[in-house]
DNA sequence: TTAGGGTTAG
């Protein structure tokens, strides 16, 4: 005798397979259930939309939405939140806004979750003002921001350089009693403040974290340790690592990678290798970032063949080399003076389909100059469609070193006219150089754009 | 749906 499957039981089975990323099995459960006379409902379809958006892509989520409409089941706010989340996860920010507006035309009222994703989306698009407007529209929508809303606002403000806004929103929400900070909030604030250079404020927040009865976690420690290394307080960074270790927070590759990379940057390679050895002895597996640091260490030592072997090993371990791996290796080739090989590698990287190889190109331009091939560097520089402050600073700086001040000033003027800046010191060197060659009118042009 | 580690200029 064949029993009819209840909708609730079917949905539990579908959700379990979706969680395990076994989407085909989830679909086959639905087919079997239909054969037995049980039809999927809005919960079944929402589970599928969410899984396809999360594990496959947004288009697959859309296909489920269409199937849902064909089955005459109306999508609800949860359906759209899954699609919004899928668009956000795959960095399709404009699509996210489109979907949000589509909710309106479908007569679906967005909830706090929908607004949170929309806020995140505007921050990622570099539009903090818009994000802030949405945040302030909550009241008129009869919605109350939740802790994720606040955390997203703080983090977004920091990421877009609105440090003051982040801190004042934090203080005002505390004063008004509309928000109680969580450990996550404190970590967002400490990270943002450290990165903005607001060290005193960061210390104060760390103090408040402890006074609120929270204990710093692995993320708090890694954030502070990273900041110490960045601000050249090396010993203090090591002390943070030790404290972290004593409190049992060095259980993953994050802490070891941070410390090892800091040693490598200081040229203390033996200690950097020792940290990785310690990590392996603890039974912690290296992830791609750890391997990338190791590739960099071999490159710093000039062991380019060893680095190349490691690239193959990474793939053998089932990991996929990323932009960082390839850029680090490319930089190693340049550092070892293997320019032709590096130029071939750069072409190879172009075929890998990364979003941008800007860092790799910057690296190539700088290293070519350093090995005395500034004309080759200039050719690459002129071919580059996207350039940033680093590209210009590197080119101008190296041309000045070769006393090619007129060429340097042309590059600098192009940079300033595009609204980008190079270090003030570099600009001064150009002006001084032009004066030394008697090129006073060219020097005036640069000085005019100085301010 | 929100936080931490890796590459390039000075």
């Amino acid at each position: 005798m064949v029993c009819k499957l209840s909708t609730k039981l079917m949905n539990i089975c579908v959700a379990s397979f979706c969680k395990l990323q076994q989407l085909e099995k989830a679909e086959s459960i639905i087919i079997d259930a239909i054969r037995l006379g049980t039809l999927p409902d809005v919960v079944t379809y929402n589970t599928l939309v969410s899984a396809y958006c999360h594990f496959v892509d947004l288009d697959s989520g859309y296909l489920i939405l269409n199937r849902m409409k064909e089955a005459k089941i109306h999508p609800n706010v949860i359906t759209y939140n899954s699609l919004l989340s899928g668009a956000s996860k795959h960095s399709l920010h404009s699509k996210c806004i489109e979907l949000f507006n589509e909710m309106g035309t479908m007569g679906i009222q967005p909830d706090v979750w929908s607004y949170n994703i929309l806020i995140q989306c505007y921050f990622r698009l570099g539009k903090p003002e818009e994000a802030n407007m949405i945040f302030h529209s909550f009241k008129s929508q009869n919605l109350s921001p939740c802790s994720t809303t606040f955390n997203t606002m703080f983090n977004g403000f920091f990421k877009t350089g609105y440090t003051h806004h982040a801190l004042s929103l934090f203080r005002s929400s505390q004063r008004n009693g509309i928000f109680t900070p969580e450990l996550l909030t404190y970590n967002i604030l400490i990270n943002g403040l450290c990165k903005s250079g607001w060290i005193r404020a960061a210390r104060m927040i760390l103090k408040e974290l402890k006074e609120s009865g929270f204990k710093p976690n692995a993320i708090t420690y890694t954030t502070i340790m990273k900041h110490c290394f960045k601000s050249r307080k090396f010993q203090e960074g090591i002390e943070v690592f030790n404290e972290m270790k004593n409190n049992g927070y060095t259980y993953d590759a994050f802490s070891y990678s941070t410390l090892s990379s800091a040693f490598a940057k200081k040229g203390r390679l033996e200690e950097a290798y020792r940290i990785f050895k310690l990590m392996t002895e603890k039974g912690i597996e290296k992830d791609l970032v750890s391997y990338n640091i190791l590739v960099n260490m071999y490159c710093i030592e000039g062991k380019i063949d060893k680095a190349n072997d490691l690239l193959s090993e990474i793939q053998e371990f089932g990991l996929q080399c990323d932009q960082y791996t390839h850029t680090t290796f490319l930089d190693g080739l340049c550092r070892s003076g293997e320019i032709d090989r590096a130029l071939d590698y750069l072409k190879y990287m172009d075929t890998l389909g990364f979003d941008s190889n800007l860092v790799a190109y910057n690296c190539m331009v700088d290293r070519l100059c350093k090995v005395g091939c500034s004309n080759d560097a200039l050719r690459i520089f002129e071919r580059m469609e996207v350039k940033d402050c680093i590209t210009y600073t590197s080119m101008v700086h190296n041309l000045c070193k070769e006393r090619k001040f007129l060429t340097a000033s042309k590059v600098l003027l192009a940079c300033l006219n595009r609204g980008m800046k190079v270090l003030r010191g570099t600009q001064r060197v150009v002006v001084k150089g032009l004066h030394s060659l008697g090129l006073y009118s060219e020097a005036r042009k640069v000085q005019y754009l100085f301010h």
Side-chain angles (χ1 to χ4, degrees):
Chain A
M1 190 185 132
V2 184
C3 294
K4 193 179 167 186
L5 200 66
S6 80
T7 310
K8 198 174 175 188
L9 187 60
M10 170 182 68
N11 287 343
I12 292 171
C13 293
V14 169
S16 304
F17 282 120
C18 283
K19 233 178 217 170
L20 296 165
Q21 297 190 40
Q22 297 178 354
L23 305 188
E24 278 179 22
K25 278 193 181 165
E27 294 265 25
S28 73
I29 290 279
I30 299 170
I31 293 168
D32 287 344
I34 294 172
R35 271 199 206 119
L36 293 170
T38 305
L39 292 178
D41 65 0
V42 67
V43 178
T44 329
Y45 282 109
N46 282 352
T47 310
L48 283 180
V49 169
S50 168
Y52 275 101
C53 283
H54 195 260
F55 299 122
V56 188
D57 54 25
L58 185 65
D59 287 341
S60 314
Y62 254 108
L63 288 176
I64 306 291
L65 179 73
N66 289 336
R67 271 168 56 189
M68 196 171 175
K69 286 178 183 168
E70 279 166 18
K72 306 269 182 260
I73 296 196
H74 294 290
N76 61 16
V77 65
I78 299 174
T79 325
Y80 270 87
N81 283 351
S82 296
L83 289 165
L84 284 169
S85 164
S88 167
K89 184 183 157 66
H90 297 103
S91 303
L92 303 164
H93 305 309
S94 306
K95 190 77 208 167
C96 205
I97 298 167
E98 221 175 90
L99 272 164
F100 188 88
N101 293 332
E102 198 177 302
M103 288 176 87
T105 58
M106 295 282 291
I108 300 166
Q109 180 67 39
D111 63 7
V112 179
W113 190 302
S114 332
Y115 276 100
N116 286 350
I117 302 173
L118 189 69
I119 287 174
Q120 167 83 295
C121 177
Y122 275 111
F123 275 125
R124 285 191 180 153
L125 282 168
K127 294 178 172 175
E129 306 282 356
E130 280 87 342
N132 202 22
M133 263 167 56
I134 294 161
F135 176 73
H136 286 289
S137 74
F138 268 54
K139 236 182 205 168
S140 61
Q141 304 286 332
N142 276 330
L143 288 170
S144 302
C146 65
S147 63
T148 301
T149 320
F150 282 103
N151 290 336
T152 306
M153 288 300 295
F154 302 141
N155 194 37
F157 275 142
F158 282 124
K159 290 261 162 75
T160 48
Y162 280 53
T163 309
H164 189 79
H165 284 69
L167 208 53
S168 77
L169 177 64
F170 175 67
R171 290 299 180 215
S172 67
S173 60
Q174 258 187 329
R175 250 195 327 271
N176 300 333
I178 49 170
F179 169 65
T180 312
E182 310 161 331
L183 181 57
L184 172 63
T185 318
Y186 287 112
N187 283 345
I188 290 170
L189 292 167
I190 293 168
N191 180 42
L193 292 168
C194 280
K195 281 191 177 153
S196 312
W198 292 35
I199 309 308
R200 270 181 63 186
R203 276 208 196 103
M204 200 144 73
I205 298 292
L206 179 64
K207 197 170 155 253
E208 286 176 33
L209 179 156
K210 291 174 180 168
E211 284 169 357
S212 306
F214 289 110
K215 272 185 175 174
N217 67 2
I219 294 175
T220 328
Y221 281 118
T222 317
T223 308
I224 297 167
M225 179 166 62
K226 171 89 203 297
H227 165 72
C228 290
F229 292 136
K230 214 177 148 198
S231 54
R232 294 176 188 166
K233 289 172 182 158
F234 199 76
Q235 197 49 42
E236 225 174 278
I238 292 174
E239 279 161 24
V240 174
F241 179 82
N242 288 332
E243 193 184 329
M244 198 176 170
K245 203 170 150 194
N246 293 336
N247 288 315
Y249 287 120
T250 49
Y251 48 75
D252 62 12
F254 275 56
S255 51
Y256 289 95
S257 299
T258 312
L259 185 60
S260 184
S261 165
F263 272 124
K265 274 186 186 160
K266 276 217 134 204
R268 292 164 66 169
L269 288 161
E270 270 185 31
E271 283 146 302
Y273 285 120
R274 199 166 50 79
I275 298 299
F276 273 136
K277 201 170 160 245
L278 201 68
M279 182 173 128
T280 314
E281 282 168 6
K282 292 258 177 200
I284 300 164
E285 275 189 27
K286 282 196 272 295
D287 62 3
L288 183 61
V289 176
S290 320
Y291 279 113
N292 286 348
I293 296 168
L294 208 52
V295 169
N296 193 35
M297 278 152 64
Y298 286 144
C299 288
I300 291 170
E301 277 192 299
K303 292 176 178 169
I304 203 74
D305 292 333
K306 239 179 150 178
N308 199 14
D309 291 344
L310 191 56
L311 251 58
S312 315
E313 273 176 47
I314 291 171
Q315 316 270 18
E316 281 164 25
F317 287 137
L319 295 167
Q320 193 71 44
C321 292
D322 65 0
Q323 236 167 320
Y324 288 100
T325 328
H326 293 299
T327 308
T328 307
F329 183 65
L330 175 91
D331 190 46
L333 285 172
C334 296
R335 260 200 280 222
S336 302
E338 298 204 37
I339 300 300
D340 288 337
R341 215 173 138 193
L343 285 166
D344 284 341
Y345 204 81
L346 191 62
K347 277 185 202 155
Y348 162 67
M349 282 179 75
D350 279 335
T351 67
L352 294 177
F354 295 126
D355 283 348
S356 155
N357 274 345
L358 178 63
V359 178
Y361 274 89
N362 281 352
C363 194
M364 200 72 227
V365 165
D366 188 60
R367 297 293 182 198
L368 275 174
C369 290
K370 292 226 162 46
V371 294
C373 305
S374 63
N375 286 335
D376 291 322
L378 212 50
R379 263 195 292 276
I380 291 183
F381 175 84
E382 276 157 10
R383 267 204 341 250
M384 285 171 73
E385 282 174 18
V386 182
K387 300 182 184 91
D388 65 0
C389 297
I390 294 174
T391 329
Y392 284 106
T393 307
S394 178
M395 201 65 241
V396 173
H397 174 81
N398 284 304
L399 285 168
C400 286
K401 266 171 108 178
E402 289 186 28
R403 300 192 57 76
K404 293 178 177 169
F405 296 113
L406 190 58
T407 318
S409 76
K410 301 244 181 291
V411 173
L412 180 58
L413 287 171
C415 169
L416 298 172
N417 281 324
R418 285 182 183 192
M420 280 190 256
K421 286 176 183 170
V422 300
L423 294 172
R424 290 185 80 83
T426 307
Q427 279 186 226
R428 268 188 232 112
V429 173
V430 176
V431 173
K432 219 172 151 188
L434 289 170
H435 277 140
S436 73
L437 295 177
L439 299 163
Y440 300 110
S441 112
E442 194 70 20
R444 269 197 299 278
K445 276 191 220 164
V446 174
Q447 269 178 317
Y448 178 73
L449 288 169
F450 216 167
H451 305 289

